[in-house]
Amino acid sequence: MRVTVLGCSGGWPAAGRPCSGYLLEAGGRQVWLDAGTGTMPELLRHTTLADLDAVWISHLHPDHCSDLFGAFQALKYGNARDDRLPVYGPPRWASAFEAFAGPATGVFEVHELVDGGRVDLGPLQLEAVFVPHVLPTFGVRASADGKVFGYTADYEPGADLSRFADVDLLLAEAWRSADAVAALGVRAVITHVHPDLDPLEVAGDMEAAAPGMVISM
Ligand SMILES: [Zn+2]
């Protein structure tokens, strides 16, 4: 299992620093995990929209989903893919999207996440983990090759992270709560740090995500 950091800025992008977006690869499957601002051009350095098996939108804050609009345009007006791209997102994500961009169902295969819901991609299994945040938000537990990868997505300090306590690697959007992640005792990479903060300082003794970083497990 391998995760490529497409972007890791929290809140808003900075020069050369897109927002949250990660390419998860395992067993020949590829998932674009959050389509934050600026991550689609980075995604296309590594794969194509046609090769993606799914897109996972944790929640509807722009720093996690705004590049879904770019994918929509490429699929609708270009020849990026013949079939619909499966997109998993929070309840009613498609209607929110359509308020900006028009009907999405001809371009996207619309799936809504529920807590504990599973997505079967053959050798790669995904499980939604609800996390408390301003908007309905779903992190993920991804299992493949006997390994488990966890992604917290954005969450409020004080959230119960115990469902990530057994993972082999945790990608944690913990810019406000790194101590709680450290307490889990798992290998953790801290991401989603606001551009005006120092990621290394926030991460402390843990690893800090950086654009282009590849994490293997
Ligand atoms: Zn958020």
Side-chain angles (χ1 to χ4, degrees):
M1 195 147 38
R2 185 171 68 176
V3 177
T4 302
V5 177
L6 306 173
C8 52
S9 281
W12 63 96
R17 296 172 65 184
C19 291
S20 283
Y22 315 92
L23 175 61
L24 170 63
E25 298 173 278
R29 303 294 192 268
Q30 296 186 332
V31 179
W32 185 7
L33 205 53
D34 273 335
T37 313
T39 57
M40 181 172 156
E42 298 306 313
L43 176 84
L44 297 177
R45 294 182 194 270
H46 304 281
T47 188
T48 69
L49 294 177
D51 288 324
L52 287 179
D53 294 282
V55 181
W56 183 285
I57 300 295
S58 67
H59 67 299
L60 296 183
H61 279 152
D63 55 335
H64 291 76
C65 72
S66 69
D67 274 23
L68 196 56
F69 290 101
F72 174 82
Q73 294 292 96
L75 293 164
K76 185 169 183 179
Y77 298 109
N79 299 308
R81 186 178 175 115
D82 294 331
D83 61 340
R84 292 184 299 161
L85 176 61
V87 178
Y88 296 82
R92 295 178 294 286
W93 72 264
S95 59
F97 182 91
E98 288 173 347
F100 284 87
T105 49
V107 171
F108 297 136
E109 190 182 283
V110 176
H111 300 274
E112 295 190 348
L113 295 168
V114 296
D115 188 32
R118 292 173 186 271
V119 179
D120 182 353
L121 297 177
L124 175 61
Q125 301 287 317
L126 308 177
E127 179 188 345
V129 179
F130 177 84
V131 290
H133 189 36
V134 182
L135 297 175
T137 300
F138 296 88
V140 65
R141 286 173 57 93
S143 306
D145 306 326
K147 300 280 189 182
V148 181
F149 162 74
Y151 171 52
T152 65
D154 208 354
Y155 62 91
E156 299 304 301
D160 178 8
L161 299 177
S162 60
R163 284 164 74 186
F164 297 109
D166 65 336
V167 300
D168 295 287
L169 174 80
L170 181 61
L171 187 59
E173 297 209 312
W175 66 284
R176 295 175 293 180
S177 54
D179 289 350
V181 174
L184 292 174
V186 300
R187 180 188 171 196
V189 177
I190 303 302
T191 185
H192 189 254
V193 176
H194 281 194
D196 51 6
L197 298 173
D198 178 357
L200 294 174
E201 200 170 298
V202 173
D205 292 335
M206 295 177 286
E207 297 168 70
M213 180 181 186
V214 178
I215 310 158
S216 298
M217 72 209 83

